[in-house]
Structures are given as structure tokens and as C-alpha cells.
Amino acid sequence: MANQTHDKRAARTKMLIRDALTELMEEKGFEGVTVRNLTEKAQINRGTFYLHYRDKYDLLEQSEEEILKEIEDKARGINPKDALHSTSQDEPFPVILKLFEYFQENARFMRVVLGPKGDASFQVKLKELIKQQFLQNIASKLNVEDMLVPAEYFIAFVSSAQLGLIQHWLETGMKKPPKEMALIAAKMILLGPGHVAGIK
Amino acid sequence: MANQTHDKRAARTKMLIRDALTELMEEKGFEGVTVRNLTEKAQINRGTFYLHYRDKYDLLEQSEEEILKEIEDKARGINPKDALHSTSQDEPFPVILKLFEYFQENARFMRVVLGPKGDASFQVKLKELIKQQFLQNIASKLNVEDMLVPAEYFIAFVSSAQLGLIQHWLETGMKKPPKEMALIAAKMILLGPGHVAGIK
DNA sequence: TTATAAATCAACACAATGTTGATTAATTGA
DNA sequence: TCAATTAATCAACATTGTGTTGATTTATAA
């Protein structure tokens, strides 16, 4: 139960368990996964699981928290001034680009946890993170006074759209590179869906 | 196990179970709900549950399917020509308005099933339905040739945004009437987030 | 009112959970 | 390198939920 990160065995076991989680979630979804399943797939004793995690929910939470932390760290590495600034027509917003890059690196787990068999609470947390990033990087450019709609709905709209774009991209096999996806996102946000699609 | 919809008792029992489901999902989320919980809350015998549903997943699915059907029926009642057409500045798109109205009527269940303790697969299904509605009502206005981004990303962006707007609205207590929300959605889609928020 | 269908109740085998104490194995670092 | 520490294994346990059964009571519909 202690902090056993300084033992090769513990690190290996945790990795085996997390890999098993990804595989099993792909098969049955998180609901369908049992601790038995996990330990059989990971080829470890069932008791060993409880040395590291309280239950399967604890395992999922820890995995998700780590991901959220890593994304936050990535975003922190960008100067807020540059975050939503494109140097040229072909350069997307750095924050959004970083986001797509991170998801590509961790595609297997992200795809399943954000998919239909995944975890609704994680989607909410991730959307919240995207909201915060948007607010931090866009606050100065926003003129809350004369917006055409209340800010809260604007931000809910944009962050959901951004997450939905990522989900669709993951679900369809990431056929376009992160840079291209980031450009698509930027166009949609700045120019607007209606204009982008040539409606009216 | 037969189709017992012609008996008052069966109808009553089903209602009790579904009400219990909503309440229990609010408390513990769907994962945490057991058949025992449901039948205790509904004050029925545990065996009775299995007379109507295979298991708790079957219960959730049947509830969700009914909702999707009802939404489709509502949308079918609108002439496609009018679906995304506003007669005046203060008249929102009929399809989007109907959507908000339906969610308001079934707010309790919708809020929890679309929230953090809800069902990720239902979100996907609902998003799919929104996509289809959009495509049906917008196809004629779309010029797939000279769109600035591939159509699939446009539609993923817009339908996710629309669903996100509904989720935020439910989560924050539906403080605005459906009509106002539908107008907000329309502005965001037609004018674009960037323009609406006055960015750049 | 009577035939039918729904709901109750007790009992069952089964599977997953989380915890235990004793034992073996791997690792760290002195 | 070797001793101390920590991780992993194993068998066993009580507990809880599951889904199904057969017999019985109760409500509904025709």
C-alpha cells in the first residue's frame, strides 16, 4: 500500500495492469471489466492488484488523473501570448496542436476511454480542462461586454466542439496529422461553421 | 417475459423501476446501481424486475431507445424545408428548438444520463442522431465542393457543440427557456464562435 | 366470475469482491 | 555480496450481487 515506485517489480506490475485495462476496455468497456479479468490478462495474482489499487475505479481514476496532469504540463510549456496566435496562415494554434499531438501519442487508451464504452466522467473532466485552457488563452481577447451570447454558452459550445473533433478523429483512425487537425479546428472556431461550410 | 403492456400492473411496475433508475443514477451513477437497489427503491420484489428486463443494462438500453425514438418522432413532424429556416431574427431553427423543448420535458433523466455519472454510449448515439438531423436538413444548403474543411469534421464539430450546449444547459439548471437557447445555438453555428465572441 | 397474467416469496448455484496470514521471490543499498 | 526490505504469490474466507427455479397469492380483463 506504500509508495513503491522505487521498485522495478511494482512499476512493471502497474504497467501490466494498465495495459490490460486498455485491452479489456476495448473488448467489453469499463463496466464489463472485472478485477479477475485484469489480473488474468496481466498474468499476475489477483491479490497483487489490491496491493496497488483499491478497486477498478481507483485504477481508472489514477490512469485518468495522470493523463490530465500530462496534458496540463504540456500546455504550461506554451507562452500564453502564443497559445492562440498563428504566425502564418498555415500555422495552427500551439495549444490546440499540442492537444492533438498528445492524443496521438496515447491514442489507444484515449480512443477507448473517450468512446462509447468509455467513461463519461472523464469526458467531463477533459472538457473542463479544455475550457480552462481556452479561458486562460483567450480571456484578453474577449470582450465580455458586447458578446452576442453569454460567455458561458460560448465556452461550452467551443470546448465541446473541440473535444468532439478529437473524438471523431480518434474514432476514424487519425487519418490526418495533428497539424492539419489543429488547422481545421482553428478555421472552425475563427471563421465559424456556417462560413466554413458555405451555408446561406 | 411476454408483452405485458396491456396490464395496468406491468405498466406501473415499469414506471416504478424507471423512476428508481433515475433517482439511483443521480446518487451513485449507473455503474453503482444494482438490481437490488432498484427493486428496493421501487418497492417491488427482486424477481419482478427480471420479468421485465434481462438485467440493468437491458433496462438502461430500453429507456434510452425510447428516448431516441421520441426525439426522432418529434423531428419528423417538421417539414425539412422549415427545419433550419428562421422566419425572423427572433425565430430560431425549428429542429433545434424542438430538441431543447424535449430535453426540458425529460430533464431529470436526460441530465443524469448525459452527465458525468451517465452513459458514454448514449452520448454517442445521441450525437449520431443530431448528426443525421443536421445532414437531412442542411444537405441541400451544403456545397461539399468548396468547403474549407472536410464535411465529416464540420459535422462532427457542429453536432458535438450542439450536444455540449444542451449538456451545459441541463447541468446549470436550465436557466434560459428553450427558445432562447435555440437562438444562441443558431447564432453560434451561422455566425461562428469567433465572430460571436468578438475575437480578433 | 373465472381464466389469465403479474407479483411475491424462498431457495438455489454461481461469480466477483476485498481481505487475511503465511510463504516465496526479487530488489536495493550498505 | 549479502542482509533487510519490499513485492508477489497462494489458499482460504465471508460477503454481496446475480439470474433462475417452482410454488403461491393477488390483481386485471373479458
Side-chain angles (χ1 to χ4, degrees):
Chain A
M1 197 73 86
N3 188 10
Q4 64 277 82
T5 339
H6 301 292
D7 198 319
K8 284 180 179 177
R9 290 168 296 175
R12 187 187 108 97
T13 302
K14 283 199 155 195
M15 218 196 60
L16 288 174
I17 293 175
R18 297 200 180 192
D19 287 352
L21 177 65
T22 303
E23 275 193 55
L24 287 170
M25 280 182 73
E26 284 173 351
E27 291 173 26
K28 335 184 181 194
F30 180 71
E31 292 238 10
V33 178
T34 69
V35 174
R36 276 197 136 79
N37 290 339
L38 285 165
T39 55
E40 277 166 16
K41 173 84 71 179
Q43 307 227 61
I44 58 166
N45 191 276
R46 191 165 65 86
T48 306
F49 176 90
Y50 294 100
L51 258 36
H52 298 281
Y53 304 102
R54 206 170 49 250
D55 50 32
K56 69 167 182 167
Y57 303 100
D58 186 41
L59 164 63
L60 184 65
E61 265 172 48
Q62 283 195 33
S63 308
E64 292 174 347
E65 283 307 317
E66 238 171 63
I67 285 177
L68 294 178
K69 273 212 196 74
E70 283 179 38
I71 294 179
E72 276 178 341
D73 288 347
K74 280 231 172 186
R76 225 188 303 282
I78 303 170
N79 186 329
K81 274 198 297 185
D82 306 331
L84 284 177
H85 181 261
S86 309
T87 49
S88 85
Q89 194 73 334
D90 295 329
E91 283 302 314
F93 300 152
V95 242
I96 298 180
L97 178 59
K98 284 281 173 198
L99 208 54
F100 277 102
E101 283 172 352
Y102 182 83
F103 279 98
Q104 192 178 49
E105 286 161 23
N106 302 75
R108 189 118 181 256
F109 182 77
M110 299 308 306
R111 199 190 115 269
V112 59
V113 86
L114 290 180
K117 295 174 179 175
D119 175 14
S121 84
F122 183 65
Q123 289 195 33
V124 172
K125 283 184 207 155
L126 186 54
K127 207 188 283 180
E128 200 53 45
L129 193 158
I130 295 177
K131 278 188 190 179
Q132 295 310 320
Q133 289 302 325
F134 253 105
L135 284 173
Q136 279 176 35
N137 295 311
I138 219 175
S140 57
K141 303 185 182 180
L142 268 187
N143 203 338
V144 187
E145 299 297 311
D146 43 38
M147 281 178 65
L148 298 180
V149 306
E152 59 172 314
Y153 299 109
F154 160 75
I155 203 79
F157 186 95
V158 174
S159 55
S160 297
Q162 172 63 39
L163 178 55
L165 204 56
I166 291 171
Q167 285 174 311
H168 177 76
W169 180 62
L170 288 169
E171 214 55 64
T172 54
M174 304 175 293
K175 284 167 187 159
K176 294 195 181 299
K179 188 175 166 180
E180 202 164 332
M181 289 306 299
L183 276 171
I184 288 176
K187 282 182 192 168
M188 215 82 91
I189 293 169
L190 287 184
L191 307 178
H195 178 258
V196 166
I199 296 177
K200 270 208 166 177
Chain B
M1 198 71 87
N3 187 9
Q4 64 278 82
T5 338
H6 301 293
D7 198 317
K8 283 180 181 178
R9 291 168 295 177
R12 186 188 108 97
T13 302
K14 282 199 156 193
M15 218 196 61
L16 288 174
I17 293 175
R18 296 202 180 190
D19 287 352
L21 177 65
T22 304
E23 275 194 56
L24 287 169
M25 279 183 74
E26 285 174 350
E27 290 173 27
K28 336 184 181 195
F30 181 70
E31 291 238 11
V33 177
T34 69
V35 174
R36 275 197 138 78
N37 290 338
L38 286 165
T39 56
E40 277 165 16
K41 174 83 72 179
Q43 307 228 58
I44 59 166
N45 191 276
R46 191 165 67 87
T48 306
F49 177 90
Y50 294 101
L51 256 37
H52 298 279
Y53 304 102
R54 208 170 48 253
D55 50 32
K56 68 167 182 167
Y57 302 101
D58 186 41
L59 164 63
L60 185 65
E61 265 172 48
Q62 284 195 33
S63 309
E64 291 173 348
E65 283 307 317
E66 239 171 64
I67 285 177
L68 294 178
K69 274 212 195 75
E70 284 179 37
I71 294 179
E72 275 178 341
D73 287 347
K74 280 232 172 185
R76 226 189 304 281
I78 302 172
N79 186 330
K81 272 198 297 184
D82 307 330
L84 283 177
H85 180 262
S86 309
T87 48
S88 84
Q89 194 73 335
D90 295 328
E91 283 302 314
F93 299 153
V95 242
I96 298 181
L97 177 60
K98 284 278 175 201
L99 208 54
F100 277 103
E101 283 172 351
Y102 181 83
F103 279 99
Q104 192 178 49
E105 286 162 21
N106 303 75
R108 190 120 181 255
F109 182 77
M110 299 309 307
R111 200 189 115 268
V112 60
V113 86
L114 291 180
K117 296 173 177 174
D119 175 15
S121 83
F122 183 64
Q123 289 195 34
V124 172
K125 284 185 207 154
L126 186 54
K127 209 188 284 181
E128 200 52 46
L129 193 157
I130 295 177
K131 278 188 191 179
Q132 295 309 321
Q133 289 301 325
F134 253 105
L135 284 173
Q136 279 176 33
N137 295 311
I138 219 174
S140 56
K141 304 186 183 182
L142 267 188
N143 203 340
V144 187
E145 299 298 309
D146 44 35
M147 281 178 66
L148 298 181
V149 305
E152 59 172 313
Y153 298 110
F154 160 75
I155 202 77
F157 186 95
V158 175
S159 55
S160 298
Q162 172 64 39
L163 179 54
L165 205 55
I166 291 170
Q167 285 174 311
H168 177 76
W169 180 63
L170 288 169
E171 215 52 66
T172 53
M174 305 176 291
K175 284 167 189 159
K176 294 194 182 299
K179 189 175 166 182
E180 201 164 333
M181 290 306 300
L183 277 171
I184 289 176
K187 284 182 191 168
M188 216 81 91
I189 294 169
L190 287 185
L191 307 178
H195 178 260
V196 165
I199 296 177
K200 267 205 171 180

